[in-house]
Amino acid sequence: MSLDSKIPSGPIAQKWDKHRFDMKLVNPANKRKYSVIVVGSGLAGGSAAASLAELGYNVSCFCFQDSPRRAHSIAAQGGINAAKNYQNDGDSVYRLFYDTIKGGDFRAREANVYRLAQVSAEIIDQCVAQGVPFAREYGGTLANRSFGGAQVSRTFYARGQTGQQLLLGAYSALSRQIGLGKVKMYNRSEMLDLVVVNGQAKGIIVRDLVTGKITRHSADAVVLGTGGYSNVYYLSTNAQACNVTAAWRAARKGAYFANPCYTQIHPTCIPVHGDHQSKLTLMSESLRNDGRVWVPKRKEDCGKKPSDIPEDARDYYLERKYPSFGNLAPRDISSRSAKEACDDGRGVGPGGRGVYLDFADAIKRLGRKTIEDRYGNLFQMYEKITGENAYEQPMRIYPALHYTMGGLWVDYNLMSNLPGLFVIGEANFSDHGANRLGASALMQGLADGYFVLPYTIGNYLAQQKEKAPSTDHPEFVKAEQEVHDRLNKLMSIKGKRSPNSFHHELGHLMWENVGMGRNEKGLKEALAKIPQIREEFWKNLNVLGDKEDLNNALERAGRVADFLEFAELLTLDALERKESCGGHFREEYQMPDGEAKRDDENFAYVAAWEFKGVGQAPVLHKEPLVYEEVHMSTRSYK
Amino acid sequence: MSTSNSMTFNIRIWRQKNAKTPGKLVEYKLDGISPDMSFLEMLDQLNERLYAKGEEPVAFDHDCREGICGMCSLNVNGIPHGPDSQVTICQTHMRIFKDGQTITIEPWRSTAFPVIKDCVVDRSAFDRIIQAGGFVSVNTGGTPDANALPISKEIADLAMDAAACIGCGACVAACKNSSALLFVSAKASQLNLLPQGKAEKDRRVLKMVEAMDKEGFGACTNTNSCEAVCPKGIPVTFIAQLNRDYAWAMLKGAAAEPKATVGGA
Ligand SMILES: Cc1cc2nc3c(=O)[nH]c(=O)nc-3n(C[C@H](O)[C@H](O)[C@H](O)COP(=O)(O)OP(=O)(O)OC[C@H]3O[C@@H](n4cnc5c(N)ncnc54)[C@H](O)[C@@H]3O)c2cc1C
Ligand code: FES
């Protein structure tokens, strides 16, 4: 199958308008005849489900939490970008587009990114109309802050809880449609397979997590807004239950998985403190607006109290290496610099895996009250976790897995290569290339859900001649049987190890070998080990409890089983991409000064992988990245 | 950051197979706990040990583990979210407990939140209250420019104070009457305070209160125990606000409208 990205012709600024005009529309009176399944209730899924129902479609929405309001989007702290130019500092749609393409190290699709920047302003209008309490100035207008990778101030925020407030906005719109009977909501329900009928995605198989009941759901189209796969690394800033199952099940049914090796490591997280740790906590990047990152110049000073290390013995390495962006250098660069400093033996805190994020200057300049207003909840969170007061001593931070740019391949319409399967939010691959800029995931999730998918799905539905298949169709029967078989298998191994122990083992391997710095030897080693862990899993797993009850261990086992297949693809993609770009850093490909060395001649493509069976080599399809608007340059933040 | 000094606890935790079977407190001895562990990591340890013995692990709700999703919901030594102030139980760390202490862990207790299994309860009643009126009736698209309507910083900040609610239900669990008024008033106040939400203020208040009563939550008798346990420090002044808004809406006789027209389609 060839990959057609369906990018509309014409000048970039007119593509989306023209496309909206060219697309087929579903007559308003006919919309209620179409049904759409939306898996996910985060920013992407929640906003899509609400908007589709407002348009008149019959929507079923699924999430595995006990309420749609608890999707992982709730945890986003820092903010959301939009090209409003409210600060009159020279921002524009074009600048946001350019920053995003450059931030993504020229590995994203131009047309999609331009559209994202175009609709960004509308998102803010929409959220304000819903009652999202964004931060404001005394004059009553909206306030902004700066985020990494940008020299303008275009980030809107609601204290340190922007994701929460945006999600509660989408949740309230969704709730309104549930109340009106236009959306049927399934909480504590997990999609365990995609059903494909005559080459088109037409339904899903779902397990009710409370009763264990398996049900079939059919629709005219299926939308996945199921989030990212950072938890393949076990320790990440993601919520505990985030997983790759929905996307991976779709990949097994024929949807291509694009750029799985593009993972983002966030520079400002609380360092790991022990083996028992279950997650890593992010300290929002917005802290880098006022905090200064440093380590001691000399190794001997690492054990000293930070206040005992004089100014001239400190290395403010980001300011030194990247004078024009300083502490606001993009995430991939900041993370790698922290790793370098620690590899050099100048890390601080237990195990030497930490750097300082220091607010002393900002407090002196702006007063403690201002810092408290801006970041109070983050400082409180830091203190609860570490027992240290960051007003009085610098925070200690270290990079951690945070976001995944890769995801299911989609065309300009956000439809995968499987017709009828749409993928939105973090679950798709399209907008962030090899590195995502801060505050752009929230923007993308809501752009997809409110302003892109509701149009593009209409174009697909308008062309559907046949009604959605009955759930008695043999493909549904077969898919349900496979789900039962797999659950029975997981329950019946009765080995010795818990699902968690396998997840832990896999995550450790991924972090060590497929983490911040990757090389051929390490990647090959991982490719040899992952199948061994998988084999041991299917031999020695033990799932206690019943299949017909709430069973956290069984849920976990299914997710870990999928991670164990998916991890192999991620690693293979990292091995095949013999260049460094964005979050993908191959140690063999670097400049003399340690910066990433991209290879546009050979790798300016999207790697879209076709599943061929567990343990079988997947097939690589390449979508060439053609830059008509911007010139591919070497990224410089110096 | 000491991981060497390990602690021992006597854990008494609620075990209940499912909604139909009665439950009871079961005791476990748990050693080797580091003071730097979070409370839920301590429970992970307990579960791994149970696992090793072939005993089914304890079910409890959790997801973000950073105090924002509102999923975790444990009553610890009789206090929703435990003894640490203004944090959820997932953000509580073992260093605040005494070595050797007995820790009693139970699910939220309220007829509106039936137990599903062990420490997991059903809080869908909260969703139904929001579905009844916890929104601004605006469709996607066609909204005015975000700066078209200036909102004073004080009002925006106050609305944000209310909006900080994570919907965990600790307020209900702490209340001897199982009142949901802190939750309802926080959502209603957020929207009622803002100019965007004013147009349907009366209807919102009436609808949400009606839904709340239908779910079987009790009446508020001003004991303020909800405020005391709220991990986000939501103050009871919002309850007073809601009571005023409710009285005003009743006075105006804004009777609940026929279902078909609520909010439009
Ligand atoms: C700590 C943290 C802070 C962040 N801060 C920012 C920030 O400041 N700015 C920014 O732009 N981005 C930020 N991000 C990134 C951003 O939050 C996410 O990328 C984004 O919210 C993802 O939204 P989503 O809708 O795609 O997926 P999610 O919010 O993850 O939602 C996934 C949904 O899918 C459901 N689901 C998944 N699988 C299944 C299944 N098999 N069956 C049924 N349901 C399923 C889940 O229940 C959930 O409802 C942050 C991320 C983290 C981890
Ligand atoms: S687990 Fe999310 S608030 Fe505790």
Side-chain angles (χ1 to χ4, degrees):
Chain A
M1 194 188 295
S2 74
L3 283 176
D4 179 0
S5 56
K6 305 222 174 67
I7 298 171
S9 59
I12 198 153
Q14 284 155 34
K15 283 184 198 287
W16 179 230
D17 262 3
K18 179 173 172 298
H19 190 60
R20 275 194 290 181
F21 180 74
D22 290 342
M23 277 190 291
K24 291 204 168 41
L25 296 174
V26 178
N27 176 315
N30 281 342
K31 290 205 172 92
R32 67 190 159 77
K33 295 185 187 151
Y34 292 99
S35 54
V36 180
I37 286 171
V38 179
V39 189
S41 64
L43 285 179
S47 61
S51 304
L52 290 171
E54 287 163 7
L55 287 171
Y57 297 111
N58 280 308
V59 178
S60 314
C61 184
F62 299 80
C63 74
F64 55 65
Q65 289 90 352
D66 74 332
S67 160
R69 69 178 288 152
R70 305 200 206 282
H72 166 62
S73 294
I74 200 96
Q77 302 170 349
I80 176 166
N81 288 331
K84 279 285 197 187
N85 194 30
Y86 280 164
Q87 305 305 321
N88 197 28
D89 54 1
D91 200 10
S92 62
V93 167
Y94 199 90
R95 187 179 290 281
L96 175 54
F97 156 68
Y98 184 79
D99 286 350
T100 308
I101 288 281
K102 178 183 168 193
D105 216 353
F106 303 92
R107 288 291 176 266
R109 196 190 280 150
E110 253 188 0
N112 287 53
V113 177
Y114 195 87
R115 174 178 63 193
L116 174 66
Q118 271 176 314
V119 302
S120 67
E122 264 178 285
I123 297 172
I124 305 303
D125 301 342
Q126 183 65 36
C127 296
V128 166
Q130 290 169 344
V132 170
F134 283 121
R136 290 185 180 258
E137 306 291 354
Y138 282 103
T141 53
L142 291 161
N144 288 118
R145 54 167 63 136
S146 308
F147 253 60
Q151 285 171 313
V152 291
S153 201
R154 63 159 77 98
T155 305
F156 294 80
Y157 62 100
R159 295 203 187 131
Q161 292 117 285
T162 315
Q164 178 198 27
Q165 294 310 314
L166 296 176
L167 184 62
L168 293 182
Y171 162 75
S172 70
L174 175 63
S175 296
R176 177 170 156 246
Q177 296 304 317
I178 298 171
L180 290 168
K182 293 297 295 173
V183 175
K184 174 107 184 67
M185 186 73 218
Y186 295 85
N187 300 334
R188 293 202 198 264
S189 296
E190 183 165 27
M191 163 189 165
L192 291 182
D193 214 346
L194 179 75
V195 182
V196 180
V197 177
N198 299 329
Q200 313 221 21
K202 289 293 170 193
I204 59 173
I205 307 293
V206 174
R207 178 168 183 266
D208 180 320
L209 298 180
V210 176
T211 62
K213 203 163 171 255
I214 309 289
T215 48
R216 310 172 195 167
H217 302 259
S218 151
D220 294 288
V222 177
V223 181
L224 299 186
T226 46
Y229 50 85
S230 295
N231 278 351
V232 67
Y233 289 84
Y234 187 74
L235 281 184
S236 86
T237 63
N238 283 202
Q240 295 286 294
C242 290
N243 68 82
V244 78
T245 289
W248 186 244
R249 292 280 123 195
R252 290 177 58 117
K253 287 284 168 90
Y256 296 170
F257 211 108
N259 300 335
C261 79
Y262 291 164
T263 53
Q264 178 166 81
I265 304 204
H266 196 292
T268 51
C269 303
I270 301 179
V272 180
H273 57 75
D275 228 15
H276 53 264
Q277 203 157 342
S278 59
K279 81 158 285 163
L280 295 171
T281 303
L282 174 79
M283 292 280 103
S284 168
E285 170 166 324
S286 60
L287 290 169
R288 290 200 275 146
N289 271 294
D290 290 305
R292 299 179 68 195
V293 178
W294 64 275
V295 289
K297 278 187 182 155
R298 287 186 313 259
K299 291 176 197 168
E300 308 80 80
D301 287 348
C302 289
K304 286 190 185 158
K305 278 219 318 244
S307 53
D308 291 344
I309 304 174
E311 268 308 302
D312 60 3
R314 299 174 177 193
D315 179 11
Y316 294 91
Y317 58 84
L318 286 177
E319 295 169 27
R320 169 172 61 78
K321 289 178 11 188
Y322 308 99
S324 62
F325 279 72
N327 294 298
L328 287 175
R331 292 182 173 171
D332 50 341
I333 290 180
S334 311
S335 293
R336 251 185 339 263
S337 302
K339 179 175 186 284
E340 272 164 30
C342 297
D343 286 349
D344 190 33
R346 296 186 293 140
V348 296
R353 300 316 278 179
V355 301
Y356 289 126
L357 180 64
D358 198 335
F359 293 87
D361 282 356
I363 291 172
K364 217 185 294 160
R365 190 166 29 114
L366 303 163
R368 178 171 161 151
K369 174 83 181 58
T370 306
I371 297 300
E372 226 173 279
D373 275 356
R374 285 187 191 163
Y375 315 109
N377 66 323
L378 297 172
F379 278 58
Q380 185 214 20
M381 189 176 342
Y382 184 80
E383 179 164 11
K384 290 289 176 196
I385 294 174
T386 61
E388 293 171 9
N389 180 341
Y391 295 103
E392 278 151 26
Q393 67 188 89
M395 285 183 181
R396 280 175 304 103
I397 53 165
Y398 197 66
L401 228 296
H402 175 59
Y403 180 86
T404 52
M405 283 73 69
L408 290 175
W409 184 89
V410 289
D411 64 15
Y412 188 72
N413 295 315
L414 305 182
M415 188 162 87
S416 83
N417 58 303
L418 271 184
L421 178 69
F422 291 79
V423 190
I424 57 178
E426 191 172 339
N428 75 23
F429 87 104
S430 76
D431 293 357
H432 307 292
N435 174 54
R436 172 177 71 80
L437 291 184
S440 285
L442 302 184
M443 168 172 74
Q444 183 226 334
L446 290 181
D448 289 359
Y450 284 135
F451 297 115
V452 180
L453 178 90
Y455 302 112
T456 58
I457 203 171
N459 185 48
Y460 168 78
L461 293 172
Q463 298 175 57
Q464 294 310 297
K465 298 280 173 292
E466 280 173 40
K467 278 193 138 134
S470 136
T471 52
D472 295 330
H473 190 284
E475 289 297 339
F476 275 93
V477 178
K478 189 169 141 232
E480 183 185 328
Q481 192 53 48
E482 281 166 9
V483 165
H484 278 297
D485 292 349
R486 191 158 175 268
L487 292 170
N488 287 334
K489 177 88 202 287
L490 290 168
M491 295 296 304
S492 65
I493 304 169
K494 297 269 172 263
K496 294 224 150 45
R497 288 177 59 184
S498 70
N500 189 49
S501 78
F502 286 103
H503 193 183
H504 205 293
E505 184 181 355
L506 174 70
H508 185 73
L509 176 69
M510 294 301 285
W511 177 248
E512 290 302 322
N513 292 36
V514 201
M516 252 190 294
R518 302 161 174 182
N519 59 52
E520 188 176 327
K521 182 168 163 279
L523 292 169
K524 286 194 166 151
E525 196 178 281
L527 279 176
K529 277 197 188 147
I530 296 164
Q532 290 167 10
I533 306 177
R534 193 168 59 221
E535 198 179 317
E536 157 90 1
F537 175 91
W538 287 105
K539 268 201 216 125
N540 200 14
L541 174 75
N542 189 14
V543 179
L544 295 163
D546 290 329
K547 205 159 55 88
E548 282 76 27
D549 265 338
L550 180 77
N551 188 335
N552 295 146
L554 180 59
E555 292 163 28
R556 186 72 171 262
R559 294 167 192 163
V560 174
D562 286 330
F563 277 138
L564 282 167
E565 292 176 14
F566 170 72
E568 205 174 352
L569 183 69
L570 194 167
T571 310
L572 178 68
D573 188 43
L575 181 66
E576 294 291 308
R577 190 164 281 281
K578 297 183 177 63
E579 63 162 350
S580 293
C581 59
H584 170 65
F585 191 75
R586 281 287 298 267
E587 284 157 1
E588 305 93 320
Y589 308 100
Q590 50 179 307
M591 306 288 206
D593 63 354
E595 298 290 327
K597 191 164 159 203
R598 228 174 51 215
D599 177 355
D600 293 337
E601 207 167 307
N602 296 304
F603 290 95
Y605 62 75
V606 176
W609 296 94
E610 181 182 357
F611 178 83
K612 285 288 176 191
V614 181
Q616 313 268 354
V619 174
L620 173 62
H621 302 267
K622 296 178 184 176
E623 178 198 336
L625 288 167
V626 183
Y627 284 85
E628 294 172 345
E629 199 55 38
V630 300
H631 171 67
M632 295 173 98
S633 58
T634 301
R635 255 182 354 158
S636 167
Y637 291 93
K638 289 194 168 160
Chain B
M1 294 265 103
S2 42
T3 28
S4 50
N5 49 340
S6 87
M7 305 166 92
T8 302
F9 296 102
N10 190 25
I11 305 291
R12 296 170 69 223
I13 193 161
W14 188 259
R15 305 293 325 241
Q16 180 171 342
K17 181 153 172 43
N18 52 37
K20 285 167 243 138
T21 331
K24 60 170 194 288
L25 283 168
V26 177
E27 257 183 71
Y28 304 97
K29 249 218 151 42
L30 189 61
D31 56 10
I33 296 301
S34 139
D36 291 332
M37 278 183 192
S38 73
F39 194 85
L40 300 189
E41 283 165 354
M42 178 277 289
L43 287 183
D44 292 343
Q45 289 295 311
L46 173 66
N47 277 344
E48 281 291 321
R49 311 256 180 110
L50 291 179
Y51 227 98
K53 287 197 290 182
E55 235 179 281
E56 203 183 339
V58 184
F60 60 95
D61 264 333
H62 64 100
D63 201 14
C64 73
R65 296 201 173 191
E66 48 189 65
I68 193 73
C69 74
M71 193 101 180
C72 62
S73 40
L74 297 173
N75 226 312
V76 176
N77 291 342
I79 308 168
H81 289 306
D84 204 358
S85 69
Q86 296 214 356
V87 283
T88 50
I89 194 65
C90 64
Q91 282 188 301
T92 301
H93 282 67
M94 296 316 292
R95 67 178 80 91
I96 71 159
F97 294 92
K98 277 202 223 63
D99 192 15
Q101 192 179 341
T102 295
I103 305 178
T104 306
I105 306 166
E106 290 180 88
W108 285 172
R109 299 288 184 199
S110 160
T111 42
F113 292 161
V115 173
I116 293 174
K117 178 176 184 165
D118 294 340
C119 294
V120 175
V121 298
D122 178 354
R123 285 170 290 186
S124 51
F126 270 11
D127 282 334
R128 290 188 290 273
I129 295 174
I130 301 297
Q131 287 155 18
F135 46 74
V136 176
S137 294
V138 53
N139 282 354
T140 302
T143 48
D145 183 86
N147 259 351
L149 191 66
I151 300 174
S152 78
K153 185 173 183 323
E154 290 78 7
I155 291 293
D157 283 350
L158 196 58
M160 181 63 216
D161 289 344
C165 167
I166 58 172
C168 62
C171 45
V172 174
C175 177
K176 65 178 170 43
N177 310 320
S178 276
S179 165
L181 223 51
L182 191 63
F183 168 77
V184 175
S185 69
K187 190 72 220 171
S189 298
Q190 174 207 340
L191 299 176
N192 293 349
L193 276 163
L194 296 168
Q196 307 88 300
K198 287 254 192 309
E200 46 187 342
K201 179 172 159 210
D202 295 342
R203 191 171 60 194
R204 171 179 307 120
V205 167
L206 294 175
K207 283 277 178 193
M208 289 180 79
V209 170
E210 182 191 295
M212 173 182 86
D213 290 342
K214 219 165 79 190
E215 293 293 343
F217 293 103
C220 169
T221 51
N222 298 315
T223 64
N224 295 357
S225 52
C226 50
E227 180 185 284
V229 299
C230 175
K232 298 294 142 179
I234 309 239
V236 289
T237 46
F238 289 122
I239 296 185
Q241 179 70 44
L242 180 76
N243 285 335
R244 279 196 299 276
D245 291 346
Y246 184 75
W248 177 246
M250 288 296 275
L251 208 64
K252 287 211 305 195
E257 288 170 43
K259 198 164 178 9
T261 62
V262 176

